Amino acid sequence: MASELARRGADAEDRALDYLQSHGLHLVARNVHTRGGEIDLVMRDDQTLVFVEVRCRQRRDYGGALGSIDARKQQRMLHAARVWLSRHPKDAMRSLRFDVVAFEADAGAQWLRNVLDVAAP
C-alpha cells in the first residue's frame, strides 16, 4: 500500500513537472527534504523562485486535493522554504511564490499560483 502511494505521488510529481515546464517554468530542485517539511518542486518562473506543492487524490471526498492543504501543511511549506533559503542565500533575493498543482480523480492539472500570502518566508 505504501509503495503504491509513493508511486502515485511520484507519478503526480512527474505530471506536475511536465505541466509546469510546458508553461515555461524551469526546474531548480525536486523532493527537497527538511526536518519538518518537504518541497515537492522548486521552480524558476523568470526571476521568481516558486515552491510547488503537488497534491493528488483519487477521490474528492473531504475537500479533495486542494482541501488537503490545511494550516499545518501551509506551515510545513513555509518552514521548508525557510530552510531552502538559508541553504541558498542568493535565492533569498528573488521574488518568491508558493504554488500548488493538484490532480483529482481523472481530471487534469489544476495550477493555483501564489496560494500563500507571504512577503517572504
Side-chain angles (χ1 to χ4, degrees):
M1 179 73 166
S3 63
E4 173 67 18
L5 288 175
R7 184 191 60 75
R8 278 197 310 230
D11 288 349
E13 287 177 11
D14 289 342
R15 290 171 53 201
L17 178 58
D18 290 345
Y19 180 82
L20 293 171
Q21 287 177 328
S22 75
H23 284 84
L25 279 72
H26 301 276
L27 180 65
V28 175
R30 185 172 180 167
N31 295 321
V32 177
H33 295 275
T34 68
R35 210 166 186 201
E38 177 193 5
I39 303 169
D40 294 324
L41 301 170
V42 179
M43 308 287 292
R44 194 172 32 81
D45 186 5
D46 291 320
Q47 295 303 311
T48 301
L49 190 69
V50 184
F51 299 102
V52 181
E53 175 67 18
V54 179
R55 303 303 271 186
C56 182
R57 294 291 183 269
Q58 297 290 40
R59 299 169 40 163
R60 293 187 173 121
D61 299 356
Y62 308 106
L66 296 175
S68 69
I69 302 175
D70 57 12
R72 182 175 179 207
K73 180 60 183 173
Q74 292 175 24
Q75 288 305 310
R76 287 176 177 236
M77 291 168 65
L78 288 170
H79 171 76
R82 285 185 188 107
V83 172
W84 173 271
L85 293 171
S86 72
R87 293 177 183 167
H88 302 88
K90 287 185 180 179
D91 284 337
M93 304 311 244
R94 294 182 180 274
S95 297
L96 306 175
R97 192 173 80 214
F98 292 85
D99 291 1
V100 172
V101 176
F103 299 96
E104 292 183 348
D106 292 331
Q110 279 186 282
W111 180 17
L112 285 88
R113 294 176 184 94
N114 210 28
V115 296
L116 296 180
D117 187 19
V118 292

